[in-house]
Amino acid sequence: MKDIKCPKCGTVFSLDEAEYASIANQVKNAEFQEEIERRMNELRKQHEAEQKVSNAQAEQLRQRDLSQKEIELSRKDNEIETLKQTLKNMENQKATDLKLALTEQQAQWQHDLQEKDAAIAELKNQALLSQKEAELTQSNMKEKYENLLKQNTEQFEQKLKAADEQVAFYKDFKAHQSTKMIGESLERYCSNLYETTLRTVMPEAEFGKDNDTSEGTKGDFIFRARENGVEYLSIMFEMKNEADDTENKHKNDDFLKKLDSDRKKKGCEYAVLVSMLEPDNELYNNGIVDKTHMYEKMYVIRPQFFIPMITLLVQTSKKSYQAKQELELVRQKDADVTMFESKLEDFKTRFLRHYETAVKKHADAIDFIDDTIKKLQKVKEALEGSDKNLTLAEKDAEELTIRKLTYKNPTMKAKFEEARSNLLEQSE
């Protein structure tokens, strides 16, 4: 037997084991129900909090990925716009350069055409003036012609006399000199002629005796012309002369092989033989003789053509040098354009490769986000399933009654009824 005190009236009454167990079960059922409700509320709140946190994390991750995607797309758009602008600038620059070149060419053509028109007009005017003068002076033409013929005849006779005197001088000069002195006189003549004529005109040029015998042979003089420190012309000179009474007469061609060899050894571009040999050969007396069919860049001249020969080669080589410089500049520009286009193509290739890589990585990130969303969806479904099970457990707890527990259980039903009757009797 156990004593139980009523909490309302304070009456103490005794219960046997079965009655006490029945009352204890009733008390436990009420506490269990409260505990279930408390745990259900806690689980529901925890589930809601976890759901909020999960949703917030998913939203934050989605916003961050979207922000990175927008930043990346914006950067790619900027790069594409920059590339388009660069290409557009290049096209505009090429169009501008082409238009400027055409304008300059048209201006040059127009200028040349105007000059030709002016020259034609001048010739017409001169012809018209000459015609008028001819008409006005027709009566005096015969007298003027006779005067002019007389004047030309006198000048020709004077020149012929001077030439005869010069020939006589050279013959007398040669007659009184040895073979060595004759050769040295020609060298001295050319050297003095250069010093008095070209030295001050071409201060950057060099002209002097070839004293280098390291190769076993040498020429007489070497001329080198430079511009801005760059050599654009070099000439190897050989001077040849002999007395008129020399028995074994030499020919100019006898000395060309040695002169060509000296030119190559001393690194000269041209070879010029200044010769008094073969004095009766009109080929050499009439001007500069080209021997390039025998030896490369080889010429034979008389002493009177010494300065004109240098001047001619200087002018020709300078123009060639300037043309080479302009050609090299054009080639350099073409190389720059080619290099620029190559760099641009390389940039396009690398840009497309990086863009394709970025697109692939972006797609991988989207796939990863999709996988994460699927996993979070599964977590959500699991939590929802847990919530459903908790709801069913709560429903089962609410539907749990003494009647259901004692259904088809007469022993327990009798015990509960007996306990209920005792409680009613004690309350009365």
Side-chain angles (χ1 to χ4, degrees):
M1 300 294 291
K2 291 186 178 180
D3 295 333
I4 296 177
K5 183 178 180 180
C6 181
K8 294 183 178 180
C9 61
T11 304
V12 178
F13 54 92
S14 297
L15 297 174
D16 57 14
E17 292 293 335
E19 294 172 342
Y20 180 79
S22 177
I23 295 172
N25 286 333
Q26 294 179 16
V27 174
K28 287 182 179 180
N29 287 336
E31 292 177 350
F32 178 70
Q33 184 67 27
E34 293 177 357
E35 180 66 19
I36 287 176
E37 291 178 356
R38 185 180 64 81
R39 293 294 301 277
M40 287 294 292
N41 291 331
E42 290 178 355
L43 288 174
R44 188 179 294 106
K45 291 179 181 178
Q46 182 179 359
H47 172 66
E48 292 176 353
E50 290 177 353
Q51 186 67 27
K52 290 181 180 179
V53 171
S54 177
N55 292 337
Q57 290 178 349
E59 181 65 20
Q60 183 179 5
L61 181 61
R62 187 177 69 83
Q63 292 294 335
R64 185 185 64 185
D65 293 336
L66 289 176
S67 177
Q68 291 180 352
K69 179 181 177 182
E70 291 176 355
I71 293 173
E72 184 68 16
L73 289 176
S74 177
R75 186 174 67 82
K76 296 299 180 184
D77 290 339
N78 292 334
E79 292 179 356
I80 292 172
E81 288 299 326
T82 302
L83 182 59
K84 288 181 178 179
Q85 187 63 35
T86 301
L87 293 175
K88 184 177 180 181
N89 292 337
M90 287 179 57
E91 292 175 355
N92 293 336
Q93 184 63 36
K94 287 184 177 180
T96 302
D97 294 341
L98 180 59
K99 185 176 180 181
L100 180 61
L102 290 174
T103 302
E104 292 178 353
Q105 188 64 41
Q106 290 176 354
Q108 183 63 35
W109 288 341
Q110 188 66 26
H111 179 70
D112 294 342
L113 184 60
Q114 291 176 354
E115 288 184 348
K116 290 180 180 179
D117 291 340
I120 292 172
E122 181 66 22
L123 289 174
K124 289 181 178 180
N125 292 331
Q126 290 179 1
L128 183 60
L129 182 61
S130 299
Q131 184 178 359
K132 291 181 180 180
E133 290 178 352
E135 292 175 354
L136 292 175
T137 60
Q138 187 175 4
S139 59
N140 300 324
M141 283 292 294
K142 184 177 181 179
E143 183 180 355
K144 289 185 177 181
Y145 176 76
E146 291 177 353
N147 293 334
L148 180 61
L149 180 61
K150 183 179 179 181
Q151 183 179 358
N152 290 336
T153 302
E154 292 176 354
Q155 290 179 356
F156 176 76
E157 290 176 352
Q158 291 177 359
K159 290 181 179 179
L160 183 61
K161 183 179 179 181
D164 292 338
E165 291 177 352
Q166 188 173 9
V167 170
F169 171 78
Y170 280 129
K171 288 182 178 180
D172 182 69
F173 182 74
K174 289 182 179 181
H176 292 82
Q177 288 185 319
S178 64
T179 302
K180 181 178 180 182
M181 290 178 64
I182 291 174
E184 291 178 350
S185 297
L186 180 58
E187 293 178 7
R188 191 162 52 251
Y189 168 80
C190 293
S191 178
N192 293 336
L193 191 61
Y194 179 86
E195 294 296 332
T196 57
T197 307
L198 295 182
R199 178 65 70 183
T200 56
V201 178
M202 304 178 63
E204 293 187 359
E206 296 180 0
F207 179 78
K209 290 282 293 182
D210 180 18
N211 297 318
D212 183 9
T213 59
S214 58
E215 298 291 338
T217 182
K218 67 181 185 68
D220 288 333
F221 289 93
I222 294 179
F223 172 84
R224 298 185 185 275
R226 294 180 174 84
E227 183 172 320
N228 298 325
V230 179
E231 181 177 298
Y232 64 88
L233 174 63
S234 56
I235 308 172
M236 170 67 73
F237 285 101
E238 183 79 13
M239 316 298 183
K240 289 300 175 182
N241 196 6
E242 63 183 3
D244 294 336
D245 57 354
T246 303
E247 294 183 0
N248 297 323
K249 298 289 185 179
H250 291 91
K251 295 184 177 295
N252 291 315
D253 291 350
D254 298 339
F255 302 95
L256 299 184
K257 182 177 181 180
K258 174 183 177 300
L259 178 57
D260 182 67
S261 175
D262 293 339
R263 177 187 71 84
K264 293 178 180 179
K265 291 178 180 179
K266 300 302 170 64
C268 294
E269 183 179 3
Y270 292 91
V272 177
L273 177 64
V274 183
S275 172
M276 292 292 291
L277 306 179
E278 301 181 59
D280 298 330
N281 192 332
E282 293 300 324
L283 174 65
Y284 298 106
N285 295 332
N286 290 332
I288 299 173
V289 180
D290 186 352
K291 291 289 184 176
T292 55
H293 61 284
M294 299 177 62
Y295 298 97
E296 183 183 7
K297 296 185 177 183
M298 176 72 69
Y299 299 92
V300 178
I301 62 173
R302 294 303 189 196
Q304 60 267 29
F305 298 110
F306 175 69
I307 296 300
M309 184 67 186
I310 295 178
T311 305
L312 177 63
L313 291 179
V314 166
Q315 293 176 351
T316 304
S317 299
K318 183 176 290 188
K319 289 181 180 179
S320 176
Y321 170 72
Q322 292 173 351
K324 289 180 181 178
Q325 283 187 323
E326 293 176 358
L327 179 61
E328 184 63 26
L329 183 60
V330 172
R331 289 178 178 175
Q332 186 63 35
K333 289 182 178 179
D334 291 340
D336 292 341
V337 173
T338 303
M339 184 180 297
F340 178 79
E341 293 176 348
S342 177
K343 288 183 178 179
L344 182 60
E345 290 298 327
D346 182 63
F347 170 76
K348 289 181 181 178
T349 303
R350 289 187 290 107
F351 173 79
L352 291 176
R353 184 172 65 252
H354 294 161
Y355 180 77
E356 291 173 356
T357 304
V359 170
K360 184 177 181 301
K361 290 185 177 180
H362 179 73
D364 294 340
I366 295 297
D367 294 339
F368 176 75
I369 292 173
D370 293 338
D371 293 339
T372 303
I373 291 174
K374 290 179 181 179
K375 291 180 181 179
L376 292 174
Q377 187 67 30
K378 291 181 180 180
V379 173
K380 179 181 178 182
E381 292 174 356
L383 292 173
E384 290 177 350
S386 175
D387 188 21
K388 183 178 180 181
N389 291 328
L390 290 174
T391 302
L392 293 174
E394 182 180 4
K395 182 179 179 182
D396 292 339
E398 290 177 352
E399 293 176 353
L400 182 64
T401 61
I402 299 299
R403 184 181 297 276
K404 288 184 178 182
L405 290 173
T406 58
Y407 178 70
K408 292 183 180 183
N409 191 341
T411 302
M412 294 303 299
K413 184 177 182 182
K415 291 290 185 181
F416 278 107
E417 289 178 353
E418 183 180 357
R420 189 181 297 110
S421 298
N422 291 333
L423 288 173
L424 291 173
E425 290 178 355
Q426 289 178 2
S427 61
E428 292 176 356

